[in-house]
Amino acid sequence: MRIKAMVASVPVALLLAVAVHARSVQQQPMEFDVHVAGHSASQMDAARYNVQADAVPVVTLPGLGQVQGTTSVTDQAKRTVFSYLGVPFGEAPVGELRFVAPVPKKPWEGVHDSTVPGKTCFQVELGTAAWPVDDGQQSEDCLVLDVHTPKVDPNAKLPVLVFIHGGNFYTGYAGQKPPTALLDSADIVLVSPQYRLGPLGFLNLQTEEVPGNAGLLDLVEALRWVNKNIQYFGGDPSRVTIAGHSAGAASASVLYLSHLTKDLIHGVLPMSGSALGFWAWDRTPEAAGNSITNVACLGKTAIADRVACLRAVPPKDLIRAYLMYAGISLLHGHLGMSGSIPSLQRAAIPDDKKVLLDLPENILSSDDLKALPYMTGVTKHEGTYPLELAEKFYLELNHLESNASFLRNDVVHVLLAVIGNDDPAGYVSDTSVQAYFDPTTLGDYQSMRDGLIDMLGAFGFKSAARRIVQRNSELGQPSYLYAFNHNGELTRKSPEGIFHGADQPYIFPMPKYPTLVGNDLEVSLALRKYVTNFVIYQNPTPDESPVEHSPTWKTFQRDHEDYMELVWPPTQKQWFQNELTVARRDQFNEGFGTSTAPTVAPTAAPTAASTAASTAASTAASTAASTASQSNTSSKTSRADNGNTSNSAAAAAPSLALALCLATLFARR
């Protein structure tokens, strides 16, 4: 009752903004990671499968038990795929197991029913409301995975793709990535694991009892399960590629850097997400952890009492406590994402219970990094979605679209401050203005809009992807980078353009999306084959499996930045940094970027604007990391706890709505 009473005291403006955002998410025509209102995840998933138990082999897992699966049929070739849904890999993380590393699943009696999806992990349900919704399908006993295979044969030794769902680390489930397209012609095994979400998965008090990163440790345990058991589904444990989209991509990127995954993964394929993204890593997690605990365990001050409370509090109340903290954080000009994303674990726990032993950027730069074949990419207009939110909740609300002085002098500095970039001298701001805007039109919002799209896309996704493949290639591993720039029927009329996640329906078509035909189908077939070729050969265009109408995909090299532009037909290009200013170059704001033709010659040298953009994004990232690193060694008193934000540039402007839009930047992941 206390939690509900406190929720009622949240400022009406904040609740209204969250509700408006939730409604806008529902109305997006190209939503990927949000449930359909009125239907549970399990109901939606079950409809895709034909339950014919007598026709599906029962798989025996030594030391665990037996599982009975079901079948599905692929879209084009009508190929039968054997699907084993909701296979448990971990014990229910309840009581003393809440917040800590998972315990491997114990043996069970009889045959486990894997003809229906497992229950989803407790999460924030943005698809129907801004608050948690229990549709009867959510549970803490959710550490399960789906296995899809064309051959249930222990001797098949097929390559394995472990695909991690997205959802901002607080929503999502295994069934969002169905096999009906990807396994249409490829002999691979697809595995989709679930992991703890939100504060149940990422709360970090830097203590032995609440050490953080439980959700990522779930994924490590899923990889261990794959290593031990995937052979019984026809998979080869020595040929495992880990992949994901958005938050799932960031997770895959973090696990690539982890000492815990040595010999468990052999290739990495993140899509629109990276461990280096400012949104993917919490630099000061204990501050948020203590604030969330203060709400969830009101009046508890002794450590033992707080831990006991956290272990017993109902999951929905803990999620509400996180949302309460997020609201307060937003009001003080911060992102409101802490407490629900990965972080560095500094508690006195064994190293085998820590996902990373250092910050991601430090591990990436280390000589000890074991590089692996790596393929990653981004969509053309990654920045349009956050900009749309900024327009709704910040610029329009505060009449700033017509405030020439603010647009000319402050908007870039405020954006950088909100994402954690301390830029007192204004160097990063000045460099960003040079990179993304025409100085003669500063102050005119419509003229600046394309630059804002580019800047948000570069800082959030593109530069981080480029940095990792650059480092990976330096270490001698094949590294591939793509830009998904195809503007097909799914995006042509969208004011968001080719937005974050626009590539996913081409790999994982869903019944609610239009049928792919013409060039859309050709792009889909090419992208699927790139993915499966990488899983099988660690090369998207090997001689053994050519992609029709595609040039050979060259590995990324720092001296000319080769990448594949995914249009139709696909085009091999150089100088990926040109993609950092693509909206401005295309004059996207003039007509939603309707052209599907390549806009830069395949070997065109980087433009002055793109070079400046590359410098700005890299400088912003390093400055933000340095700022956060310094804050880790300073006082652990949270500014969100004491309300001291006088030194924040964001606090100098009306920042609630801007912070909200950036905090919900990846609600579709």
Side-chain angles (χ1 to χ4, degrees), residues 28-51:
Q28 292 299 325
M30 288 304 301
E31 192 56 73
F32 305 121
D33 290 336
V34 175
H35 301 168
V36 174
H39 298 274
S40 72
S42 295
Q43 289 170 337
M44 291 172 64
D45 293 340
R48 290 201 293 263
Y49 301 102
N50 299 314
V51 182

Side-chain angles (χ1 to χ4, degrees), residues 330-351:
L330 293 169
L331 288 169
H332 287 118
H334 302 291
L335 289 177
M337 300 172 73
S338 296
S340 185
I341 58 176
S343 59
L344 189 64
Q345 298 163 273
R346 297 198 302 274
I349 57 176
D351 286 352

Side-chain angles (χ1 to χ4, degrees), residues 391 395-396 398-404 407 443-446:
E391 289 170 341
L395 298 173
E396 293 176 6
N398 295 291
H399 308 291
L400 294 175
E401 288 180 315
S402 58
N403 187 329
L407 294 172
D444 179 76
Y445 181 72
Q446 291 303 318

Side-chain angles (χ1 to χ4, degrees), residues 438-471:
D438 179 350
T440 66
T441 60
L442 287 177
D444 179 76
Y445 181 72
Q446 291 303 318
S447 298
M448 296 178 66
R449 193 173 188 273
D450 289 339
L452 291 169
I453 292 170
D454 283 332
M455 189 177 76
L456 290 171
F459 287 7
F461 301 94
K462 295 184 179 183
S463 289
R466 175 172 170 259
R467 169 57 186 147
I468 288 190
V469 295
Q470 181 184 90
R471 174 59 177 160

Side-chain angles (χ1 to χ4, degrees), residues 326-393:
I328 295 171
S329 177
L330 293 169
L331 288 169
H332 287 118
H334 302 291
L335 289 177
M337 300 172 73
S338 296
S340 185
I341 58 176
S343 59
L344 189 64
Q345 298 163 273
R346 297 198 302 274
I349 57 176
D351 286 352
D352 65 358
K353 305 297 182 184
K354 296 180 178 180
V355 177
L356 297 185
L357 302 180
D358 202 346
L359 294 172
E361 61 269 19
N362 294 341
I363 296 175
L364 183 67
S365 300
S366 169
D367 293 336
D368 297 329
L369 175 65
K370 179 186 176 183
L372 297 170
Y374 203 100
M375 173 177 159
T376 189
V378 294
T379 60
K380 187 173 188 177
H381 301 122
E382 295 278 8
T384 53
Y385 184 59
L387 181 59
E388 181 185 67
L389 293 175
E391 289 170 341
K392 288 182 179 178
F393 300 144

Side-chain angles (χ1 to χ4, degrees), residues 247-592:
S251 298
S253 180
V254 169
L255 294 176
Y256 158 66
L257 301 174
S258 176
H259 60 291
L260 300 181
T261 60
K262 182 180 180 180
D263 299 326
L264 296 179
I265 59 176
H266 312 93
V268 193
L269 208 172
M271 300 176 175
S272 293
S274 163
L276 302 184
F278 69 83
W279 49 269
W281 195 258
D282 190 351
R283 306 284 169 160
T284 55
E286 61 271 39
N290 283 320
S291 295
I292 293 167
T293 303
N294 290 342
V295 177
C297 301
L298 194 63
K300 306 290 185 182
T301 56
I303 294 295
D305 292 340
R306 288 163 73 84
V307 168
C309 169
L310 286 171
R311 287 173 171 172
V313 67
K316 290 196 293 182
D317 284 353
L318 184 61
I319 294 173
R320 288 190 178 98
Y322 158 67
L323 292 172
M324 282 283 294
Y325 159 77
I328 295 171
S329 177
L330 293 169
L331 288 169
H332 287 118
H334 302 291
L335 289 177
M337 300 172 73
S338 296
S340 185
I341 58 176
S343 59
L344 189 64
Q345 298 163 273
R346 297 198 302 274
I349 57 176
D351 286 352
D352 65 358
K353 305 297 182 184
K354 296 180 178 180
V355 177
L356 297 185
L357 302 180
D358 202 346
L359 294 172
E361 61 269 19
N362 294 341
I363 296 175
L364 183 67
S365 300
S366 169
D367 293 336
D368 297 329
L369 175 65
K370 179 186 176 183
L372 297 170
Y374 203 100
M375 173 177 159
T376 189
V378 294
T379 60
K380 187 173 188 177
H381 301 122
E382 295 278 8
T384 53
Y385 184 59
L387 181 59
E388 181 185 67
L389 293 175
E391 289 170 341
K392 288 182 179 178
F393 300 144
Y394 181 60
L395 298 173
E396 293 176 6
L397 183 67
N398 295 291
H399 308 291
L400 294 175
E401 288 180 315
S402 58
N403 187 329
S405 176
F406 173 81
L407 294 172
R408 184 181 302 111
N409 301 311
D410 299 323
V411 64
V412 173
H413 191 68
V414 169
L415 281 168
L416 291 172
V418 170
I419 67 174
N421 191 285
D422 188 9
D423 183 34
Y427 171 73
V428 180
S429 298
D430 291 345
T431 305
S432 299
V433 169
Q434 176 189 357
Y436 297 107
F437 306 101
D438 179 350
T440 66
T441 60
L442 287 177
D444 179 76
Y445 181 72
Q446 291 303 318
S447 298
M448 296 178 66
R449 193 173 188 273
D450 289 339
L452 291 169
I453 292 170
D454 283 332
M455 189 177 76
L456 290 171
F459 287 7
F461 301 94
K462 295 184 179 183
S463 289
R466 175 172 170 259
R467 169 57 186 147
I468 288 190
V469 295
Q470 181 184 90
R471 174 59 177 160
N472 206 63
S473 68
E474 290 172 355
L475 295 175
Q477 286 292 344
S479 306
Y480 302 93
L481 184 59
Y482 72 80
F484 186 87
N485 292 348
H486 174 67
N487 195 17
E489 190 63 29
L490 303 180
T491 55
R492 188 168 291 118
K493 297 180 181 180
S494 170
E496 294 182 9
I498 306 165
F499 52 82
H500 179 68
D503 54 344
Q504 292 304 289
Y506 292 86
I507 307 171
F508 299 103
M510 298 282 282
K512 60 181 178 178
Y513 302 143
T515 301
L516 299 176
V517 297
N519 286 349
D520 287 345
L521 179 58
E522 297 292 348
V523 168
S524 177
L525 294 174
L527 182 52
R528 293 183 221 168
K529 195 157 189 178
Y530 288 142
V531 169
T532 55
N533 275 346
F534 183 80
V535 173
I536 297 169
Y537 302 101
Q538 298 183 333
N539 180 344
T541 55
D543 293 339
E544 303 92 324
S545 181
V547 179
E548 190 173 2
H549 301 295
S550 172
T552 299
W553 193 329
K554 297 180 181 179
T555 58
F556 183 95
Q557 302 295 330
R558 184 168 189 163
D559 57 354
H560 40 74
E561 298 192 1
D562 292 293
Y563 69 102
M564 186 70 78
E565 184 183 31
L566 298 185
V567 291
W568 189 253
T571 304
Q572 180 71 49
K573 286 193 171 183
Q574 292 182 350
W575 303 115
F576 178 78
Q577 66 188 62
N578 285 324
E579 295 295 327
L580 304 186
T581 54
V582 67
R584 180 181 171 191
R585 187 174 64 244
D586 289 357
Q587 296 183 315
F588 170 80
N589 195 44
E590 295 299 318
F592 301 158

Side-chain angles (χ1 to χ4, degrees), residues 61 64 67 86-90 105 108 112 114 141 143-145 225:
L61 305 176
L64 286 177
V67 293
V87 180
F89 66 85
K105 184 65 179 178
W108 59 82
H112 184 275
S114 289
D141 190 4
L143 300 186
V144 300
L145 49 79
W225 184 97

Side-chain angles (χ1 to χ4, degrees), residues 598-650:
T599 54
V600 176
T603 58
T607 64
S610 66
T611 301
S614 175
T615 302
S618 298
T619 305
S622 62
T623 305
S626 174
T627 301
S629 179
Q630 293 172 10
S631 69
N632 280 340
T633 60
S634 63
S635 170
K636 294 183 180 181
T637 301
S638 169
R639 285 184 291 175
D641 282 336
N642 60 31
N644 178 18
T645 60
S646 59
N647 294 325
S648 170

